Amino acid sequence: MYAAFTPPALLAPYIDAYWIVTTSGPATSRILPDLCADFIFNLDDYSVKAVGTMTTYHDTHTSTASRLLGIRFKPAGMAAFASMPMQLLTDQHIQGDALSLPLVRQLQEAIAQNTNPFQAISHCLLKALPDQPARMQAAIHAIQSSRGNISPLTLAAQVNMSPRNFERTFLQQIGTSAKTFSRIVRCLSAKEALQKQPASSLLALAIDYGYHDHAHLTREFRQITGDAPSEYLSFLYK
């Protein structure tokens, strides 16, 4: 069972959602990149792991029943609270103890000591509320608005930063280069369009979303989601 919950308005610039997953036994699931980063707490022993920005799909396997609670941070959201280079977490699952972050320990204690874990998380995060990283948020918005079809040079100019400083800051706060982030946004945008219009031509879809041809779309779609567009449609509507 999966359920998602909306964070308080003051945390909305940083957090996409709180979520909880309960499994009753062995389970396998495929997680696709969503350009977010998560803290994931095991509600049985209150251990925690940090999951960085994903650049490709990840298949997860659980062998026993479990109860997991997650904080899904928006791009640059975790970096705003954790003050760490996010590229260290990219495509990684790292145990919280290895991070030595006071915030992680505070969140663990808050969850363990309260019957309403989401309220406890919100209270803890609101006390540590940082200034919003406006430049990177503006860059992320520009990438998403263009469906991933915008160059790092253009982004740097839009946020009044040198290309080198922009790339370094983007990597530290988001965990990927601006080019990789844009590539994932483009693929996820194409996937959403394919889901809404499954009968559309894949060549037309490829051209519309900035791919050179059908083969280019298929190659990137498979690399990021684990399936070719045709395989994704077969799974979606079987």
Side-chain angles (χ1 to χ4, degrees), residues 35-83:
L35 301 169
C36 298
D38 295 65
F39 285 144
I40 302 177
F41 301 85
N42 186 318
L43 294 179
D44 293 320
D45 60 11
Y46 302 109
S47 61
V48 58
K49 62 182 176 180
V51 180
T53 305
M54 295 169 54
T55 63
T56 187
Y57 69 94
H58 178 73
D59 291 329
T60 64
H61 309 279
T62 56
S63 56
T64 60
S66 62
R67 298 183 303 138
L68 303 177
L69 181 152
I71 307 171
R72 183 186 303 128
F73 291 90
K74 291 180 177 179
M78 184 183 288
F81 284 95
S83 300

Side-chain angles (χ1 to χ4, degrees), residues 1-203:
M1 181 188 74
Y2 171 86
F5 305 87
T6 303
L10 286 175
L11 293 173
Y14 309 94
I15 298 174
D16 179 66
Y18 302 141
W19 55 265
I20 191 163
V21 167
T22 303
T23 61
S24 57
T28 299
S29 59
R30 172 161 292 181
I31 310 299
L32 300 183
D34 59 7
L35 301 169
C36 298
D38 295 65
F39 285 144
I40 302 177
F41 301 85
N42 186 318
L43 294 179
D44 293 320
D45 60 11
Y46 302 109
S47 61
V48 58
K49 62 182 176 180
V51 180
T53 305
M54 295 169 54
T55 63
T56 187
Y57 69 94
H58 178 73
D59 291 329
T60 64
H61 309 279
T62 56
S63 56
T64 60
S66 62
R67 298 183 303 138
L68 303 177
L69 181 152
I71 307 171
R72 183 186 303 128
F73 291 90
K74 291 180 177 179
M78 184 183 288
F81 284 95
S83 300
M84 63 176 294
M86 287 302 295
Q87 65 266 36
L88 299 178
L89 291 179
T90 303
D91 289 319
Q92 300 293 318
H93 293 64
I94 298 179
Q95 292 300 318
D97 292 344
L99 298 176
S100 299
L101 292 175
L103 176 64
V104 170
R105 293 193 295 273
Q106 292 165 12
L107 288 168
Q108 285 178 295
E109 293 172 1
I111 293 171
Q113 295 172 5
N114 289 269
T115 56
N116 187 330
F118 297 126
Q119 187 178 68
I121 289 171
S122 295
H123 180 71
C124 189
L125 291 176
L126 285 169
K127 289 195 299 183
L129 195 66
D131 292 330
Q132 187 173 353
R135 287 187 175 184
M136 292 303 102
Q137 291 294 338
I140 290 165
H141 178 72
I143 293 171
Q144 293 172 333
S145 297
S146 69
R147 303 186 306 195
N149 287 288
I150 187 170
S151 73
L153 285 175
T154 300
L155 288 167
Q158 287 186 0
V159 298
N160 297 314
M161 297 176 71
S162 70
R164 183 176 180 179
N165 190 31
F166 170 75
E167 286 286 4
R168 181 174 62 250
T169 304
F170 196 98
L171 181 64
Q172 289 176 343
Q173 293 190 6
I174 285 80
T176 71
S177 67
K179 182 178 180 180
T180 296
F181 189 94
S182 297
R183 189 167 61 88
I184 297 170
V185 166
R186 180 172 59 172
C187 179
L188 296 181
S189 298
K191 181 176 77 71
E192 183 178 353
L194 185 63
Q195 185 174 346
K196 291 178 179 178
Q197 297 180 315
S200 61
S201 162
L202 290 180
L203 177 58

